[in-house]
Amino acid sequence: MNSFTYCVPTKVYFGTNQLCHLGEELKRFGKRVLLTYGGGSIKKSGLYDAVVSEIRGAGLELYELSGIAPNPRIDSVREGAKLCKEKKIDVLLAVGGGSTIDATKWMAAGACVEHDPWDFFSKWSPVEKALPVCSVLTLSATGSEMNGGGVVSNPETKDKIGRVESILRPRVSFLDPSATFSVSKYQTACGAADILSHIFEEYFTTEKDLYMLDCCMEGLMKTVIRYAPIAMENPTDYEARANLMWASSWALNGFVNGGKQHSWSCHSMEHELSAFYDITHGLGLAILTPRWLEHCLNEKTLFKYVQFGVNVFGIDPALEPLAIAKKSIQMLSDFFFKTLGLDDTLTKIGIGEENFSVMAKKACGGGTIEGFVPLNEKDIETIFKACL
Ligand code: NZQ
Ligand code: ZN
């Protein structure tokens, strides 16, 4: 295995009644707070009032930016960066899911430069400074609450690009599972698929890995498989929501990576689906993942499917390895499409093959995704077609 550095300085307040620490934490960074949120779910749930009351109670100055869309747009980032400059914002507070937190991170970076924030993605302009970001998470999915990643869409260029910069990692995150009670069945299912995919992207590798990390990843997967259906059935089940929330953070805060060097495959392909068709990230991943696993199955990768099938789905290890591998893909498909009730084909969500070749080219940057198995344009197009 490779050497690595691990440093996750996000302070986490986990559980109910933790919001009472919000004011004191924000105060550490200054006086002027920019509160960012999405389309209004936090107003319906009452979280907005609770957050505003804490901010005001701490004597801080409050500014707001709302309307951040799922698959957040660069326009929101531009607006936020401008507001930060105009109002001399000291700290940004994102209250929402991954879209709100991601966009807010890039507002924080955009506030410290003179160029267009899209340059961070189109020209890979350096991120040397950023205002501090804190978050109050409302949806268990992306891990954005504890990582430095942020994915932004540009509808004009049909691009959806992610970039990770540790300087953008939230300084403090409030993780109250009850803030996710109001998440719909559909978004709970998509969130579960996203968490699983973050683990799969690291787990399915032919690189030599730490046994300890494989065990942790299998535990995280089993947690999602156990609790997502419970949360969908009973949205106010605290234990289920808590397990999903903490799993979402640990699936993508760098911990399970453990120095692995390979690229992510399903995310590269899914970002093209979201960029062209604005679909929910987790849904795209659920449709792609079983087809990707089928595509990658070969003599060299077989052992990993066997490990997955036996340890995660409890398949009988006495069966033939290939039978275990095929059964594990089938059981995963059943979980996504029967248990979680997600649509199982791109056709069902109105996506045809018209853009597949250009999407495939963009997904691999015209070269190869060096993932579980290397994927070139043709491989990616084949996987997209298998999803129809
Ligand atoms: O906008 P509001 O009104 O808040 O409604 C949202 C939105 O419609 C709603 N929602 C969120 N919390 C809720 C709630 N509804 C009721 N009750 C609550 N408590 O759910 C909808 C989806 O929200 P969104 O933030 O888009 O979902 P998610 O957290 O799945 O974020 C998806 C975005 O994150 C990116 C994805 O590509 C996508 O753009 N990702 C970010 C990553 C990262 N930063 O590391 C990694 C991921 O792989 C992913 O790419
Ligand atoms: Zn994801």
Side-chain angles (χ1 to χ4, degrees):
M1 62 166 288
N2 301 307
S3 307
F4 61 89
T5 308
Y6 184 70
C7 177
V8 180
T10 301
K11 181 172 180 181
V12 172
Y13 284 93
F14 195 98
T16 49
N17 305 323
Q18 295 277 34
L19 220 50
C20 57
H21 298 286
L22 181 62
E24 79 200 47
E25 288 294 349
L26 292 173
K27 253 185 181 168
R28 296 201 285 129
F29 304 106
K31 201 166 167 38
R32 284 181 286 273
V33 181
L34 178 63
L35 166 64
T36 59
Y37 54 99
S41 71
I42 66 161
K43 289 208 165 162
K44 272 193 219 141
S45 68
L47 184 59
Y48 172 86
D49 291 335
V51 165
V52 167
S53 145
E54 289 298 329
I55 295 174
R56 292 229 153 92
L60 300 166
E61 263 176 56
L62 175 63
Y63 301 89
E64 286 187 29
L65 189 152
S66 62
I68 297 167
N71 298 325
R73 314 289 195 266
I74 189 64
D75 279 350
S76 288
V77 175
R78 288 179 177 132
E79 201 184 335
K82 189 163 163 260
L83 202 57
C84 287
K85 289 178 190 169
E86 279 170 12
K87 304 294 181 193
K88 299 192 167 35
I89 293 297
D90 296 309
V91 54
L92 294 89
L93 176 67
V95 183
S99 295
T100 294
I101 304 173
D102 282 9
T104 305
K105 290 173 181 173
W106 289 103
M107 292 173 199
C112 300
V113 293
E114 291 312 314
H115 61 70
D116 178 11
W118 186 246
D119 291 355
F120 288 127
F121 302 96
S122 61
K123 301 180 182 163
W124 225 249
S125 301
V127 184
E128 279 154 4
K129 268 169 66 182
L131 294 176
V133 173
C134 298
S135 84
V136 177
L137 183 66
T138 66
L139 201 167
S140 305
T142 64
S144 190
E145 65 276 11
M146 224 174 150
N147 69 40
V151 190
V152 175
S153 295
N154 185 338
E156 279 169 31
T157 58
K158 283 199 163 45
D159 281 314
K160 177 174 176 177
I161 303 177
R163 180 168 175 184
V164 184
E165 292 291 339
S166 52
I167 199 174
L168 301 180
R169 196 185 292 275
R171 308 291 183 93
V172 185
S173 282
F174 289 82
L175 273 55
D176 177 354
S178 66
T180 64
F181 285 174
S182 54
V183 176
S184 66
K185 271 191 181 187
Y186 171 69
Q187 287 293 345
T188 302
C190 291
D194 192 22
I195 301 170
L196 282 176
S197 180
H198 297 156
I199 307 164
F200 295 156
E201 298 274 21
E202 300 290 356
Y203 181 82
F204 285 101
T205 176
T206 50
E207 287 182 58
K208 274 260 169 275
D209 202 1
L210 278 174
Y211 171 77
M212 166 265 191
L213 282 180
D214 269 10
C215 293
C216 290
M217 286 189 269
E218 287 158 5
L220 287 168
M221 291 182 225
K222 287 205 279 197
T223 301
V224 176
I225 290 167
R226 178 188 175 102
Y227 284 109
I230 298 174
M232 288 172 72
E233 192 55 39
N234 181 7
T236 59
D237 186 311
Y238 185 85
E239 193 186 344
R241 294 295 193 183
N243 274 282
L244 290 174
M245 193 170 243
W246 205 214
S248 99
S249 303
W250 281 87
L252 191 47
N253 67 8
F255 169 64
V256 299
N257 171 265
K260 289 184 278 286
Q261 297 290 327
H262 69 265
S263 302
W264 283 23
S265 304
C266 285
H267 274 69
S268 306
M269 295 187 280
E270 196 295 313
H271 284 175
E272 297 310 319
L273 290 173
S274 295
F276 277 74
Y277 299 99
D278 199 16
I279 63 165
T280 308
H281 175 60
L283 173 63
L285 291 169
I287 296 173
L288 284 163
T289 301
R291 280 77 182 207
W292 168 69
L293 285 172
E294 272 158 20
H295 187 89
C296 295
L297 181 55
N298 60 41
E299 267 179 23
K300 200 173 150 216
T301 59
L302 178 61
F303 77 98
K304 204 72 201 193
Y305 294 74
V306 173
Q307 185 189 331
F308 171 64
V310 170
N311 292 350
V312 177
F313 283 123
I315 299 172
D316 181 357
L319 293 174
E320 280 296 312
L322 192 59
I324 298 176
K326 290 193 169 158
K327 195 165 179 194
S328 69
I329 300 174
Q330 188 55 51
M331 288 181 82
L332 182 65
S333 298
D334 289 350
F335 177 72
F336 284 145
F337 309 129
K338 292 185 181 156
T339 309
L340 299 185
L342 292 168
D343 282 327
D344 58 354
T345 63
L346 292 179
T347 311
K348 280 192 188 156
I349 57 171
I351 297 178
E353 59 185 294
E354 58 282 355
N355 293 310
F356 282 176
S357 65
V358 48
M359 284 160 55
K361 192 174 194 147
K362 287 178 88 174
C364 62
T368 308
I369 301 174
E370 298 293 339
F372 185 31
V373 303
L375 302 176
N376 62 25
E377 264 176 74
K378 281 278 154 269
D379 296 311
I380 297 169
E381 223 179 311
T382 305
I383 294 171
F384 281 145
K385 283 187 180 155
C387 294
L388 286 170

